[in-house]
Amino acid sequence: MATAGAAGTSGRTYSFKVVLLGEGCVGKTSLVLRYCENKFNDKHITTLQASFLTKKLNITGKRVNLAIWDTAGQERFHALGPIYYRDSNGAILVYDITDEDSFEKVKNWVKELRKMLGNEICLCIVGNKIDLDKDRHVSVEDAESYAESVGAKHYHTSAKLNKGIEELFLDLCKRMMETAQAEERAKGNGASQSASNRRGVQIVDDEPQATPAGGCCSSG
Amino acid sequence: MADGGGKPLQSAMKMAKQAIQLEGADRQQEAYCQYLRTINYISHILLQEETQGEVERMLRVAEQCLDRAKSFIGKRYVHPVNPVLHNASCSSADQSEAEPGPKAGDSTSGAEGQVDASSPFGLSDDGGQPSSFPPPDVFQRQQTEASHDCRRKTLTPVEEASRQNQKLQASYEARVARLAPGQASQKTSLTLSLQRQMMENLIIARARQDALQRKVEERRQRLQDEANRRFAASGALTAEEQEQRLLYARVLEYELDHDWPKQWRTNIKKNPDASLVLDLLSYLLRSDHPLVELLRKHQFRIYNQLYPIITQSLPQSLPQSLPQSLPQSLPQSPALPLRSSRSNHVRLSPERNPTRTSSSLDSEDAAQRDDSFEDLEHFLSQLDSAPRGGLQAELTFDPSVELEQLELRALKEHLKAIVRDVHGAIDQLLSLCLLSFDCLNTAAYKDLSLGCIEEAFFTPLWSPLLALFRRVLREREQLFQRNMTLYCSTSPAEVGVPLKLFPQDPGTLQGSYPYEVAVQELKLLVEDRCPQRKLDCVVRTLRLICGCAEDYRNQQGGGASRAAAIGADDLLPILSFVLLRCQCPQLLSECAALEEFIHESFLIGEEGYCLTSLQSALAYVESLPARADLADPE
């Protein structure tokens, strides 16, 4: 769907939208701040602080612009959740390994995202706070097998210790690039004609995905 | 350019006739409004131009309309439409309402007082500009007046000749006047020579005009061929491509007569610079270039479509109190799935209606919805507010509700069609712009061009477009307005803003309230007339919120640790608080319109994020329960 529209239209620069989902205190803001601070220090923190962040990357010679959209974890703001997710290329679903509820919430979001965006969105399920492993309430096996069953990849991170975060984003970017490239190939070379119908192109091949468990993203 | 709607006098008579018909059909309120509209139209016309000879008749029509309108003062408040006033003492209502009288200035708001006074869904803008929209022909005249200075048209030969003849006639009259009474023969000869000269002038002029016409035709053909060559690659022509060729030929023709496009092009080639490009664009849009003609044509066409819809008076069967309209508004989705390009299964409208009596519009994708996300809180809060309204709706059920639904459906269709039209128009304008100035055809300059075109395009159209959105979203706006009133003095904590993000001691704010700067900024949004500027305003508001939040936290000694930066979990409650304080019900429609009209490339970035957040907060405010005690924030 929107993937091809967002990526690859202007030169070799990919623009990806990634939504960040997770309950209130799972540490998703720390995670993303850690990532955006690390390499390029503060200038990548926009004036919207941790709610909207951008990052520029260079992966195997290709430029990637990442826009990271934080979403509110509170239930009462979920009514319009879908307008946050739409046109996303990737989603990072964070739970706290010491909090089983937060993992259940992740499952809900996975369902929702698959339903909205089909299999074209690359899902990352992230167990955060691995520095608190002694209080772990979500077992590694459960989490990983669940992730596999829904075509997502699972990661272990600690925002506090800055562990696993760089890998998470790098991996996600690579998968999103693969998805975008595959889509470009599938579309053939029709892209050159679509200069002026900026809004018309996206609806055409947009059949609802009937099998949410399929895994286009598992190749990464 | 063609005259929009025939002669003004005829238009005025037509309007008056409609009013008489309405009155005949006993639709007093509408008739009254229509009379006032006619008067308004006539004074508009008379102020605008010198209508030869018709002034008197126009004024007479106006006078008669005014008489009819006056005759309503006595009876309109005892009309059965308004049951509430029936019970109340009629005379006092009469006096208080009738006293100001239907003055021309506040005519519309006075006439639609039933609807407008409580004004959650009145179509008048809160921004303080005139609440009535000019008829399309006046709109068109305003369009061309705006750029009158650069339209110094050269005269055609025939026009020139007739001007000369006027001069001849004048000097002839002067001479005749100077003749002594006895010189009758001289007068005859003067007359004859005048006639001869005038005739000759005309004949010469006609010949010249014909020759010129032929030349123009030849040139046009040549240019058309040239344009066709430029687009030669593709085989079969769509109507769209055909039109584009014609337009391009017009551009070529224009450039034969005008030098400035070439000069700008060489300038930009020499010194490719964004500010120069902006200069070119602003010059271009103020010129009489074919692009501008096309722009006007599209604007006029769209305004013409909008005008009858937005000036129609609201049906009298409108629900006038909130409880009645509530149950109907609940099944309405919080965001209309208007944008056709959005994929089907990205639903903009989560089902919030627990009873699942979705309107037929929503029912098709209702099947896809998953219960797992159904929000228990919403469910409960709506159960709380529903019974009262539901009961009343049953008691007062009548076929007019059905009619209303039908009308709403029709309005939505109109809206969809117009949105599509606007996008089509802008696409066409942009591609003609890039064709005419291929130096603009780079990613960055294309964006600049689009921005300038959009600004020129939307500025006169935003108010009427918004009026249509407000009509379609009227019920949601009512709900939003109700909640804004109910919760206007809510504290930040009550909508879930963490204590550390606003000052606990009111003394530190010096008479203001938390996040006031953001509220003030957001209020400015309705002043702008161009989507991009409005979007910038949204972004500024969110940035101010983040800035304030950081200040408040630092004041409370929270320390500026990065880990405590504002995320969406904090942002949305604060934004909801700001919205409640903003007290601006039309924001809902403004946002819905922005979403439709903002260029897609902005939707992925910061602008898109801010707009999405604002919409999310709007939906939250709408969903607040009718009771004054808030649900638990978590």
Side-chain angles (χ1 to χ4, degrees):
Chain A
M1 52 184 321
T3 326
T9 41
S10 55
R12 306 269 118 38
T13 305
Y14 290 92
S15 290
F16 292 129
K17 171 178 166 182
V18 175
V19 280
L20 189 62
L21 300 157
E23 260 205 307
C25 37
V26 298
K28 60 188 158 95
T29 31
S30 321
L31 194 89
V32 73
L33 274 175
R34 183 63 102 165
Y35 175 63
C36 291
E37 256 176 355
N38 246 352
K39 225 173 211 163
F40 296 92
N41 62 48
D42 285 3
K43 72 178 179 202
H44 282 265
I45 312 258
T46 64
T47 35
L48 292 181
Q49 301 203 12
S51 43
F52 175 82
L53 290 161
T54 56
K55 179 140 177 161
K56 289 189 162 84
L57 297 162
N58 203 317
I59 299 175
T60 59
K62 302 232 165 58
R63 274 176 304 172
V64 175
N65 289 339
L66 218 52
I68 305 169
W69 289 43
D70 190 16
T71 64
Q74 302 96 317
E75 290 275 344
R76 64 210 160 97
F77 292 113
H78 289 174
L80 281 202
I83 69 168
Y84 278 97
Y85 322 144
R86 73 176 169 214
D87 299 347
S88 307
N89 307 87
I92 297 175
L93 303 117
V94 190
Y95 68 93
D96 175 350
I97 60 161
T98 68
D99 177 0
E100 212 177 332
D101 271 359
S102 68
F103 186 59
E104 291 303 313
K105 286 275 158 51
V106 162
K107 290 182 179 173
N108 285 341
W109 272 305
V110 168
K111 263 195 218 164
E112 179 92 349
L113 286 168
R114 283 292 186 221
K115 203 172 57 193
M116 298 296 140
L117 301 170
N119 284 339
E120 280 147 35
I121 183 164
C122 298
L123 299 185
C124 302
I125 297 175
V126 179
N128 193 28
K129 304 197 185 174
I130 50 168
D131 46 301
L132 301 176
D133 201 57
K134 58 179 172 20
D135 298 321
R136 179 184 274 281
H137 278 97
V138 181
S139 83
V140 178
E141 301 77 49
D142 283 358
E144 286 184 340
S145 69
Y146 170 74
E148 207 188 328
S149 76
V150 294
K153 284 204 77 180
H154 190 278
Y155 303 84
H156 303 276
T157 60
S158 163
K160 195 174 174 192
L161 307 175
N162 193 13
K163 262 192 170 160
I165 298 173
E166 199 71 37
E167 295 86 328
L168 157 70
F169 278 96
L170 190 65
D171 207 34
L172 173 62
C173 286
K174 285 182 182 161
R175 282 160 58 201
M176 291 191 296
M177 283 165 71
E178 276 166 27
T179 310
Q181 283 159 359
E183 209 166 289
E184 271 165 46
R185 278 195 300 274
K187 283 210 169 143
N189 38 22
S192 56
Q193 276 189 325
S194 64
S196 69
N197 14 338
R198 55 190 157 90
R199 290 182 205 252
V201 279
Q202 297 176 8
I203 35 168
V204 195
D205 48 351
D206 216 5
E207 297 299 321
Q209 309 285 327
T211 51
C216 80
C217 295
S218 51
S219 56
Chain B
M1 241 182 241
D3 204 307
K7 286 200 172 132
L9 179 64
Q10 280 158 358
S11 311
M13 306 255 282
K14 208 187 279 169
M15 288 174 78
K17 206 178 283 168
Q18 277 168 2
I20 294 168
Q21 280 165 359
L22 286 171
E23 198 185 343
D26 206 31
R27 289 155 75 181
Q28 311 271 350
Q29 187 73 23
E30 288 163 73
Y32 175 72
C33 297
Q34 184 67 18
Y35 282 126
L36 291 177
R37 244 178 248 129
T38 314
I39 300 169
N40 192 21
Y41 172 76
I42 290 172
S43 45
H44 230 306
I45 292 290
L46 293 179
L47 283 171
Q48 296 268 325
E49 59 166 29
E50 56 300 350
T51 338
Q52 309 91 335
E54 287 181 352
V55 179
E56 207 191 320
R57 296 178 67 190
M58 297 271 276
L59 284 175
R60 214 176 307 141
V61 176
E63 196 182 359
Q64 282 162 359
C65 287
L66 192 60
D67 282 345
R68 291 307 312 146
K70 271 193 226 155
S71 74
F72 282 89
I73 297 175
K75 47 185 168 174
R76 55 190 273 253
Y77 294 101
V78 292
H79 196 267
V81 173
N82 213 334
V84 186
L85 287 177
H86 242 348
N87 304 337
S89 90
C90 281
S91 60
S92 74
D94 255 353
Q95 269 176 2
S96 63
E97 290 271 13
E99 197 192 310
K103 278 183 214 144
D106 53 18
S107 60
T108 348
S109 59
E112 288 173 353
Q114 294 183 338
V115 176
D116 235 338
S118 57
S119 196
F121 45 87
L123 292 176
S124 59
D125 254 270
D126 303 327
Q129 83 268 50
S131 57
S132 64
F133 294 101
D137 50 340
V138 176
F139 177 84
Q140 195 178 33
R141 218 166 295 132
Q142 285 168 349
Q143 263 187 324
T144 39
E145 261 164 27
S147 62
H148 201 65
D149 46 331
C150 48
R151 293 215 121 204
R152 274 266 144 262
K153 208 177 134 203
T154 50
L155 298 173
T156 67
V158 171
E159 281 168 339
E160 209 168 321
S162 79
R163 187 169 280 200
Q164 249 174 24
N165 283 352
Q166 274 171 11
K167 273 188 208 151
L168 282 174
Q169 177 118 30
S171 64
Y172 158 79
E173 274 159 12
R175 273 194 215 166
V176 169
R178 264 183 273 129
L179 283 178
Q183 300 168 295
S185 66
Q186 276 217 26
K187 188 183 168 190
T188 321
S189 96
L190 271 177
T191 313
L192 281 175
S193 90
L194 170 77
Q195 281 172 349
R196 189 178 37 87
Q197 270 186 26
M198 283 170 67
M199 191 66 82
E200 267 171 11
N201 273 347
L202 274 180
I203 290 170
I204 294 169
R206 253 180 230 133
R208 278 176 57 199
Q209 180 124 343
D210 287 348
L212 208 66
Q213 191 68 38
R214 265 197 307 281
K215 250 165 112 184
V216 169
E217 287 300 328
E218 276 169 28
R219 191 171 78 172
R220 203 164 274 168
Q221 189 55 47
R222 211 173 57 240
L223 294 170
Q224 190 61 61
D225 293 345
E226 198 179 322
N228 288 350
R229 268 199 302 283
R230 178 154 176 185
F231 295 101
S234 58
L237 276 185
T238 63
E240 210 174 295
E241 286 165 329
Q242 194 101 46
E243 199 184 344
Q244 200 174 34
R245 283 185 191 198
L246 282 173
L247 286 168
Y248 186 60
R250 294 269 299 286
V251 172
L252 291 176
E253 189 181 342
Y254 179 86
E255 290 194 5
L256 285 184
D257 297 331
H258 299 80
D259 249 356
W260 64 263
K262 259 172 246 128
Q263 289 165 7
W264 277 100
R265 239 175 253 136
T266 39
N267 280 349
I268 288 182
K269 208 159 279 168
K270 252 188 283 174
N271 177 23
D273 170 56
S275 73
L276 200 61
V277 168
L278 279 175
D279 287 347
L280 161 64
L281 287 164
S282 87
Y283 187 88
L284 168 65
L285 289 167
R286 277 184 287 111
S287 71
D288 53 353
H289 193 272
L291 180 78
V292 179
E293 274 172 42
L294 183 68
L295 176 88
R296 295 237 174 78
K297 201 185 88 188
H298 280 309
Q299 283 176 328
F300 178 64
R301 194 171 46 83
I302 286 165
Y303 187 76
N304 233 343
Q305 289 174 48
L306 282 167
Y307 182 72
I309 312 172
I310 53 177
T311 50
Q312 224 175 60
S313 50
L314 294 166
Q316 301 197 326
S317 59
L318 270 185
Q320 287 177 17
S321 57
L322 273 165
Q324 268 186 25
S325 66
L326 244 177
Q328 292 144 32
S329 71
L330 285 179
Q332 287 306 324
S333 43
L336 287 172
L338 291 168
R339 170 167 283 174
S340 50
S341 62
R342 294 281 175 226
S343 65
N344 263 329
H345 53 244
V346 177
R347 69 170 150 95
L348 301 179
S349 48
E351 185 63 86
R352 291 193 299 148
N353 170 31
T355 53
R356 296 253 177 226
T357 52
S358 12
S359 69
S360 53
L361 273 178
D362 289 344
S363 61
E364 36 189 277
D365 53 358
Q368 295 179 26
R369 288 173 191 163
D370 192 310
D371 299 14
S372 62
F373 251 64
E374 196 132 70
D375 190 327
L376 191 64
E377 231 175 75
H378 278 301
F379 187 95
L380 290 177
S381 65
Q382 271 160 23
L383 276 187
D384 275 336
S385 61
R388 188 175 154 227
L391 201 66
Q392 282 209 5
E394 256 166 54
L395 289 177
T396 59
F397 179 81
D398 68 301
S400 67
V401 173
E402 202 113 322
L403 206 70
E404 228 171 84
Q405 296 281 347
L406 276 177
E407 196 191 293
L408 192 65
R409 286 252 295 268
L411 274 177
K412 281 182 184 172
E413 285 304 311
H414 276 304
L415 181 64
K416 238 192 250 180
I418 284 172
V419 166
R420 213 180 304 126
D421 236 26
V422 167
H423 286 308
I426 289 176
D427 284 343
Q428 199 188 30
L429 286 165
L430 181 65
S431 61
L432 185 65
C433 179
L434 299 181
L435 264 177
S436 315
F437 294 90
D438 39 15
C439 52
L440 299 180
N441 208 349
T442 67
Y445 294 165
K446 200 169 151 183
D447 279 353
L448 285 181
S449 312
L450 183 66
C452 291
I453 289 173
E454 281 184 343
E455 177 156 13
F457 183 86
F458 279 110
T459 301
L461 283 179
W462 189 268
S463 299
L465 281 169
L466 184 72
L468 178 59
F469 273 89
R470 293 185 77 179
R471 267 199 109 139
V472 171
L473 300 176
R474 199 182 60 229
E475 291 187 348
R476 287 184 57 206
E477 193 173 309
Q478 277 175 281
L479 200 61
F480 181 58
Q481 162 107 5
R482 182 203 70 178
N483 286 348
M484 263 190 331
T485 316
L486 276 175
Y487 293 92
C488 63
S489 52
T490 293
S491 85
E494 281 174 281
V495 283
V497 180
L499 293 178
K500 61 181 194 303
L501 293 182
F502 66 96
Q504 306 304 298
D505 174 17
T508 56
L509 288 165
Q510 288 155 351
S512 139
Y513 53 87
Y515 298 100
E516 190 180 3
V517 280
V519 174
Q520 296 307 338
E521 179 66 44
L522 190 56
K523 278 182 175 168
L524 297 177
L525 182 135
V526 298
E527 311 280 332
D528 284 315
R529 289 280 165 274
C530 159
Q532 188 54 49
R533 287 173 193 274
K534 284 172 187 285
L535 196 57
D536 291 344
C537 176
V538 176
V539 173
R540 281 195 302 272
T541 304
L542 266 81
R543 287 181 173 176
L544 283 169
I545 286 178
C546 289
C548 284
E550 202 169 358
D551 289 348
Y552 296 145
R553 198 184 46 217
N554 292 342
Q555 279 165 22
Q556 294 183 55
S561 92
R562 271 284 165 215
I566 310 298
D569 289 341
D570 299 323
L571 187 65
L572 281 174
I574 302 175
L575 194 53
S576 308
F577 171 76
V578 167
L579 270 177
L580 287 171
R581 288 292 166 125
C582 203
Q583 292 291 317
C584 180
Q586 83 184 71
L587 270 179
L588 189 100
S589 298
E590 294 270 6
C591 281
L594 278 183
E595 201 201 329
E596 291 300 324
F597 294 127
I598 282 300
H599 190 286
E600 213 153 66
S601 61
F602 286 106
L603 289 178
I604 191 179
E606 190 180 11
E607 292 96 337
Y609 183 78
C610 291
L611 182 62
T612 305
S613 301
L614 185 59
Q615 282 175 301
S616 214
L618 279 163
Y620 170 65
V621 171
E622 257 181 273
S623 75
L624 286 172
R627 294 169 304 139
D629 52 306
L630 268 175
D632 178 38
E634 208 25 63

